[in-house]
Amino acid sequence: MKIAFFSNKPYDRKFFDLANKDFGHEITYFESKLRRETLKLAEGYECACVFVNDQVDASVLIALAAQGTRLVALRCAGFNNVDIHSAKELGISVVRVPAYSPYAVAEHTVGLMLALNRKVYWANSRVKEGNFSLDGLLGFDMRGRTVGLVGTGKIGECVARILNGFGCNIIAHDKFKNPACEALGVKYVERDELFAQSDIITLHCPLFKETRHLIGMDAIAKMKKGVMIINTSRGALIDARAAIEGLKSEKIGYLGIDVYEEEEELFFEDKTFEIRTDDVFARLTTFPNVVITGHQAYFTEEAVSAIAKTTLENISAYEKGEELANAVDPD
Ligand code: NAI
C-alpha cells in the first residue's frame, strides 16, 4: 500500500525500512508533521501514517478523505490527537499500536522517580565540575513509601511490578481493577484518597475529556506536602500552570515529566538556537526539583521495532480486507 509517513525522523525510517522488508509497502517519508498546511503531501496515498503530535482533527480528516486517504495508521498507543468520530463518519479506518513495550515506559517512569529522589542530574554535573559536596543531595528510601498509580493498564501494571520489587506500598485508582495488580497487593482507592495518601503519584491513564487537567489546583491542594508527581502518559493530564504554583508553594516537592501539554511545537526537534516563546515551559525548566524528558519514555530498540512491525501489520490487514484487530473505534 502507498503510505504517506508524517513526522519522520532518521530513527523511524531505519526501523520501518527494516520491518518493511517483510511487508513490501511503498513508504514515502515526510519530515513535516501532518497539519492543515501539509496535508496535500498525502494526496494519492491510501494510508497516512502518523505519530503523537500530528494533527488529525475533523478538518484534516475531511481533506484527507477528499484526497483519497482511507486509513490513518497511528504508530503509537494514544489516539487523543485523532477525531475518531469524524473518521468513522468519513469512512476512514483508524488503527494504532496498543502495546509495544509497556516495560520501556514503565522503566523510564521509575528512572524519573530515582533521578528526582537521588538528584542524579545534579550530582553528575557537580562531580564533573569537581564539586563532591553532598549538600542538597539527600534522598529517601523508596522502600515503604506510598506510591499512587492513576491507571493500572499495561504500563501501570509494569510500574507496579517494579515498585513492588522496591518494597513500596502501592495504591491505585482505575475504573477497572487489574487482577494482576491486586495479586501484587495493590490496594484500589478513590482518587482523592490516592492524592491524600501518596508520597509519589504517577499517571498512567489515557488523555480523555474527563482526564484533562486531572492534576490541577484542586487535586494538588489534596496532596501531601512535598509530593512527587510523575507523568509519562500525556501532557494535558497535568495543568502545567497549576503545577508551577504547586512547585512555588513547595506543595509539590518533585516533578518528573516526559510529556507536556503544549509539547507539539517543542518536542522531537532541536531548538538549541531558537528563542523560547513558551513561558510556562520555560518557567518549569527553572525549578531545581523538576526533571523533563522530551517524550522518550517509549524510545527503546525493542519498542521502536515492535511499533514498526505492528504498524505495518495493521496496514497489511487493512489492505487484505481482514478484520482490524487494532482498530480505534468510537463505539
Ligand atoms: P492501557 O489502556 O493499557 O491502560 C490505561 C488504563 O487507564 C486503563 O486501565 C483504564 O481503565 C485506565 N483509566 C482510564 N480512565 C481513567 C481514569 N479517569 N482514572 C484512572 N484510570 C483510568 O494503556 P497503557 O498502555 O498502560 O498506556 C497508558 C498511557 O501511556 C497511554 O494512554 C499513553 O497516553 C501513554 N503512553 C506514553 C508513552 C510515552 O512515550 N511517554 C508511550 C506509550 C503510552
Side-chain angles (χ1 to χ4, degrees):
M1 183 177 277
K2 280 184 76 181
I3 305 169
F5 192 105
F6 285 90
S7 302
N8 174 55
K9 296 286 174 207
Y11 46 81
D12 289 320
R13 184 173 190 152
K14 181 180 148 201
F15 281 94
F16 271 80
D17 278 348
L18 191 66
N20 196 33
K21 287 188 178 148
D22 294 336
F23 295 92
H25 292 296
E26 201 183 310
I27 310 176
T28 308
Y29 294 95
F30 299 113
E31 276 179 39
S32 313
K33 292 191 184 101
L34 177 59
R35 296 272 182 279
R36 273 182 279 280
E37 301 75 31
T38 60
L39 59 83
K40 274 276 164 210
L41 292 169
E43 193 155 18
Y45 288 85
E46 216 176 331
C47 171
C49 182
V50 300
F51 196 47
V52 291
N53 291 328
D54 288 302
Q55 246 171 34
V56 201
D57 59 21
S59 66
V60 168
L61 284 162
I62 290 167
L64 284 178
Q67 288 180 181
T69 297
R70 315 302 318 148
L71 176 68
V72 170
L74 285 152
R75 44 183 200 276
C76 53
F79 50 89
N80 50 284
N81 53 332
V82 182
D83 184 334
I84 50 173
H85 295 277
S86 299
K88 188 163 190 181
E89 275 169 30
L90 292 159
I92 293 183
S93 299
V94 180
V95 285
R96 66 177 182 130
V97 185
Y100 36 91
S101 172
Y103 315 104
V105 183
E107 288 166 14
H108 191 79
T109 301
V110 178
L112 287 175
M113 287 178 195
L114 295 177
L116 280 162
N117 172 2
R118 307 307 294 267
K119 300 164 185 74
V120 177
Y121 50 106
W122 281 119
N124 179 55
S125 38
R126 270 193 196 179
V127 167
K128 285 185 176 168
E129 284 170 6
N131 175 357
F132 302 99
S133 155
L134 297 185
D135 280 346
L137 300 184
L138 192 68
F140 57 84
D141 282 9
M142 294 290 285
R143 186 176 188 282
R145 295 285 167 161
T146 299
V147 183
L149 307 176
V150 182
T152 52
K154 291 176 285 297
I155 295 170
E157 180 189 324
C158 288
V159 172
R161 286 185 190 284
I162 299 171
L163 295 178
N164 190 49
F166 283 6
C168 296
N169 167 39
I170 309 168
I171 59 175
H173 175 73
D174 196 314
K175 288 183 198 163
F176 306 100
K177 291 182 181 173
N178 177 338
C181 288
E182 286 186 297
L184 287 172
V186 174
K187 190 177 144 221
Y188 281 87
V189 296
E190 286 306 313
R191 199 154 77 188
D192 283 356
E193 199 182 334
L194 182 145
F195 291 153
Q197 286 188 16
S198 302
D199 299 301
I200 301 173
I201 295 170
T202 181
L203 307 179
H204 302 292
C205 64
L207 175 63
F208 295 136
K209 257 189 203 135
E210 74 264 21
T211 55
R212 193 183 145 77
H213 289 184
L214 180 92
I215 307 293
M217 287 298 209
D218 287 354
I220 293 168
K222 292 172 186 147
M223 293 175 192
K224 281 189 181 174
K225 186 167 164 59
V227 64
M228 181 189 291
I229 302 176
I230 305 287
N231 185 10
T232 57
S233 205
R234 283 293 179 265
L237 293 177
I238 296 185
D239 175 352
R241 287 182 170 78
I244 288 171
E245 291 313 311
L247 286 157
K248 279 160 68 178
S249 68
E250 299 182 25
K251 182 81 182 216
I252 300 176
Y254 313 79
L255 178 69
I257 54 174
D258 183 53
V259 286
Y260 168 64
E261 239 183 314
E262 305 294 336
E263 70 179 52
E264 270 179 46
E265 300 307 325
L266 286 173
F267 286 6
F268 307 117
E269 308 298 335
D270 181 354
K271 305 259 177 188
T272 311
F273 298 107
E274 285 187 22
I275 302 296
R276 311 282 159 87
T277 53
D278 184 332
D279 292 346
V280 175
F281 188 78
R283 182 68 178 99
L284 280 174
T285 62
T286 65
F287 291 99
N289 50 353
V290 172
V291 169
I292 309 174
T293 52
H295 211 135
Q296 69 170 81
Y298 79 100
F299 200 51
T300 64
E301 274 184 39
E302 290 81 356
V304 183
S305 19
I307 288 172
K309 184 168 177 280
T310 306
T311 305
L312 297 174
E313 271 170 6
N314 287 342
I315 296 169
S316 291
Y318 176 87
E319 194 174 30
K320 291 180 199 156
E322 292 170 3
E323 198 182 327
L324 298 175
N326 295 325
V328 184
D329 195 320
D331 310 321

